[in-house]
Amino acid sequence: MDYNQILEAQPQLSSAEMKVQVDGARRLQLERYRQMGITFNGELQGKLLRAHCRLHKEAETLLRKSFEVLGLSVRAYDRILKIARTIADLDGSDTLDTPHLAEALQYRSLDKKTHSAGFPR
């Protein structure tokens, strides 16, 4: 996808709409992890990460191919899952579907491009 395709593919949210969406995702995460000693998806590790970041079959296939083609590390794999979980939360979805994973992979790719271009992380 190029930049224009990304803009065309996503409906533009107002700041107020975006705030509602983010607040909803934060509440969802707070409730989900209430008894686990963590607050947000970014804190997921190990068994908790695997339990809360289950992928649909098609999404798993995409991640497997991406892992092989891009030579992702285990750390990158985990980060992509956490980001996909957050995207799914923003979407109000209990499951991680292919669009959530694809968006997370795009962010990973963008992060790599900006870092290699000399932009700070």
Side-chain angles (χ1 to χ4, degrees), residues 55 59 62 80 83-107:
L55 299 166
L62 174 61
I80 289 166
I83 292 167
R85 173 72 268 162
T86 300
I87 294 166
D89 288 345
L90 288 167
D91 197 30
S93 177
D94 291 333
T95 58
L96 299 179
D97 296 320
T98 303
H100 305 133
L101 184 63
E103 187 175 342
L105 285 164
Q106 286 177 340
Y107 293 141

Side-chain angles (χ1 to χ4, degrees), residues 1-3 7 26 30 42 48 56 59 62 67 70 80 90 93 95 102 106 110 112:
M1 269 188 149
D2 68 20
Y3 186 77
L7 290 178
R26 289 190 66 174
L30 286 169
L48 284 178
H56 276 194
L62 174 61
F67 191 84
L70 300 173
I80 289 166
L90 288 167
S93 177
T95 58
Q106 286 177 340
L110 179 62
K112 281 246 184 238

